[in-house]
């Protein structure tokens, strides 16, 4: 049930992201990026620019044998000294599920039931566009605070994301 709820949430968020009008980037093309995340978790990412400097990103990833989805708003700023490099800040929310008997979240000794977590996220990162390509590489740190009593702060979420823009 909770897995289908998470899948429904992710599908709805992707529909919202693709319904938002695309922003015309400075290079003259539209920016929607799809990528693979690897770090403290593994998963995927869809990022869509809504203006030249702001984007909406949906991340779906696996961690501690459970699934999480995060929807974030990000504001991008150029680093003038490095061509193709930007840094970004943002925030949003997340929802995660861990299904028993595979559940191994760090706040329990042994998974005996299904667990959920939801809360707010902050993100800070660097993104590099390989010159004259549609390939991007980013590194971000995404601490999160959960509203569920037993999880509180997740400060260690960091990942590299390899993206393709179309």
């Amino acid at each position: 049930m909770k897995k289908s709820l998470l899948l429904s949430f992710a599908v709805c968020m992707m529909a919202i992201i693709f319904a938002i009008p695309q922003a015309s980037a400075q290079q003259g093309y539209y920016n929607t990026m799809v990528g693979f995340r690897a770090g403290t978790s593994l998963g995927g990412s869809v990022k869509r620019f809504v203006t030249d400097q702001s984007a909406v990103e949906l991340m779906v990833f696996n961690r501690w044998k459970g699934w999480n989805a995060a929807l974030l708003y990000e504001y991008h700023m150029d680093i003038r000294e490095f061509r193709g490099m930007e840094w970004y800040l943002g925030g949003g929310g997340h929802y995660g599920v861990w299904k028993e008997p595979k559940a191994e979240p760090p706040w329990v000794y042994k998974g005996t039931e299904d667990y959920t977590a939801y809360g707010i996220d902050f993100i800070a990162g660097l993104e590099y566009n390989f010159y004259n390509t549609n390939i991007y590489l980013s590194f971000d740190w995404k601490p999160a605070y959960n509203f569920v009593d037993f999880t509180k702060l997740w400060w260690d979420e960091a990942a590299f994301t390899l993206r393709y823009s179309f």
Side-chain angles (χ1 to χ4, degrees):
M1 172 67 183
K2 291 180 184 178
K3 192 173 189 179
S4 63
L5 180 64
L6 180 63
L7 181 61
S8 299
F9 174 76
V11 168
C12 289
M13 291 301 108
M14 295 237 344
I16 289 169
I17 288 172
F18 283 107
I20 296 171
Q22 292 181 342
S24 175
Q26 294 173 353
Q27 296 85 5
Y29 57 85
Y30 293 99
N31 274 331
T32 299
M33 301 179 187
V34 177
F36 174 74
R37 285 180 61 80
T40 54
S41 60
L42 293 175
S45 165
V46 176
K47 182 186 280 193
R48 181 150 174 127
F49 279 85
V50 293
T51 69
D52 284 345
Q53 294 180 312
S54 60
V56 176
E57 183 172 8
L58 173 66
M59 298 176 183
V60 177
F61 53 92
N62 184 292
R63 186 164 188 197
W64 301 310
K65 298 185 181 180
W67 286 96
N68 292 281
L71 183 63
L72 305 164
Y73 172 83
E74 300 167 353
Y75 187 77
H76 289 247
M77 293 148 281
D78 285 335
I79 299 175
R80 295 177 194 211
E81 292 80 16
F82 297 99
R83 184 179 193 158
M85 180 78 76
E86 296 181 339
W87 64 285
Y88 56 92
L89 297 171
H94 69 272
Y95 180 79
V97 295
W98 291 264
K99 299 289 283 179
E100 200 278 318
K102 292 189 215 177
E104 288 185 15
W107 58 87
V108 297
Y109 174 68
K110 182 178 180 185
T112 58
E113 59 186 88
D114 296 346
Y115 298 95
T116 61
Y118 54 90
I120 57 174
D121 296 67
F122 169 78
I123 191 165
L126 290 171
E127 186 167 82
Y128 179 72
N129 173 231
F130 293 96
Y131 185 65
N132 285 334
T133 68
N134 291 352
I135 298 172
Y136 293 77
L137 179 65
S138 67
F139 175 75
D140 61 64
W141 174 56
K142 190 182 76 60
Y145 183 81
N146 293 292
F147 297 128
V148 182
D149 290 337
F150 49 77
T151 58
K152 300 293 183 197
L153 181 66
W154 290 343
W155 58 270
D156 63 342
E157 181 70 34
F160 285 96
T161 306
L162 184 62
R163 292 188 178 93
Y164 179 77
S165 173
F166 54 93

